[in-house]
Amino acid sequence: MAKILLVEDEDKVSSFIKKGLEEHHYQVDVAKDGIAGLTNVLQDSYDLIILDVMLPLINGIDLCKQIRQKQSQVPILMLSALGTIDDKVTGLHAGADDYLIKPFHFNELLARIEALLRRRNMAETTTHVLTFADLKLDTWDKTAERAGKKITLTAKEYALLELFMRNPGKLLSREFMLEKVWGLNFDTGTNMVDVYVNYLRNKVQKGFDNKLIHTVIGMGYIMKVQQ
């Protein structure tokens, strides 16, 4: 089930879109303003983001730019009543993958979402080598190396590293990691995530000055290049 973030401040519009998408078996989170939308992006993982342009606190254009600084791969569909060519170009230059003018038919919105997700899935299939800094992960033969040095990983360590490398620069909560790596949708009450992150750190970072996996106290972990 694909997970979608909808950032839309008009209650009627957001309710209409959310209800329609959920009827088509999408999971939908709704944010009412730009700051709430950015917070969702930083704290969770989405397969697609729908942004209104005219948002409170942070407008959709600026929010799109900020998302692109942190996530280059997630598809972004921009919604707006502003329908001139210049408006569309501005949205696309900000990092949107598609631009849909309000008012729109739900079937068109659905078709565009399906097209963006299909394009993303095709890209993920063809891009089987993930890289971050000097770290490389081959998702076909399940091997990892850093600066040319091979790293031997267990199945769970590999899954955890792949999760980090598919979400660079993004804060991952322990709950999110439990769900994605262990298939658990509840807090086990143990420090299992912390233990495996330490295992992974020892294998990926030992002997290297530049640490890649960082703790955000009370919130989770993030993969980023140390400044």
Side-chain angles (χ1 to χ4, degrees):
M1 178 186 295
K3 189 172 183 179
I4 295 174
L5 173 63
L6 170 63
V7 190
E8 168 63 69
D9 64 316
E10 295 183 40
D11 290 337
K12 288 185 179 179
V13 175
S14 62
S15 296
F16 164 71
I17 294 175
K18 178 178 172 66
K19 182 176 183 293
L21 291 179
E22 287 178 342
E23 288 176 352
H24 285 80
H25 310 294
Y26 290 104
Q27 183 179 348
V28 183
D29 289 345
V30 177
K32 300 291 188 183
D33 59 67
I35 290 179
L38 183 59
T39 300
N40 279 64
V41 170
L42 294 175
Q43 294 182 350
D44 210 337
S45 180
Y46 294 97
D47 298 294
L48 183 138
I49 298 172
I50 303 173
L51 293 181
D52 184 32
V53 171
M54 305 300 289
L55 290 171
L57 304 183
I58 303 176
N59 67 57
I61 298 296
D62 291 338
L63 178 56
C64 187
K65 291 177 181 178
Q66 292 189 46
I67 292 172
R68 280 291 174 246
Q69 291 174 359
K70 302 177 183 303
Q71 295 190 44
S72 61
Q73 301 299 322
V74 62
I76 296 176
L77 171 59
M78 196 165 279
L79 305 179
S80 179
L82 306 174
T84 70
I85 294 298
D86 287 344
D87 293 325
K88 294 179 183 179
V89 169
T90 298
L92 296 171
H93 280 173
D97 297 282
D98 200 354
Y99 192 103
L100 183 58
I101 300 169
K102 294 179 177 179
F104 52 83
H105 291 287
F106 179 79
N107 285 344
E108 181 179 5
L109 173 67
L110 186 63
R112 293 189 184 220
I113 288 171
E114 291 171 348
L116 289 171
L117 290 174
R118 186 165 58 247
R119 191 185 311 163
R120 182 192 187 193
N121 290 337
M122 290 175 63
E124 288 182 349
T125 300
T126 56
T127 307
H128 67 281
V129 178
L130 305 177
T131 59
F132 182 80
D134 55 355
L135 186 61
K136 183 183 294 185
L137 187 71
D138 191 316
T139 61
W140 284 2
D141 60 17
K142 311 296 185 186
T143 58
E145 63 179 56
R146 184 168 184 189
K149 179 182 178 182
K150 292 190 179 298
I151 303 169
T152 302
L153 300 171
T154 66
K156 291 301 182 188
E157 290 167 353
Y158 168 84
L160 190 57
L161 181 58
E162 182 176 357
L163 184 65
F164 275 120
M165 293 188 70
R166 288 194 183 278
N167 296 276
K170 185 172 182 180
L171 176 62
L172 305 183
S173 68
R174 289 172 176 81
E175 293 78 12
F176 176 72
M177 296 160 78
L178 276 171
E179 179 184 352
K180 295 300 183 182
V181 176
W182 285 272
L184 301 174
N185 58 5
F186 60 93
D187 189 344
T188 63
T190 71
N191 64 342
M192 179 166 58
V193 171
D194 305 288
V195 168
Y196 272 87
V197 169
N198 283 333
Y199 289 159
L200 187 60
R201 277 173 164 163
N202 287 334
K203 292 186 176 182
V204 170
Q205 300 182 162
K206 188 175 182 179
F208 293 91
D209 293 331
N210 192 6
K211 309 306 180 187
L212 300 179
I213 301 172
H214 305 267
T215 303
V216 180
I217 297 174
M219 300 183 72
Y221 296 93
I222 186 169
M223 174 171 273
K224 65 178 183 179
V225 176
Q226 195 172 36
Q227 300 298 321

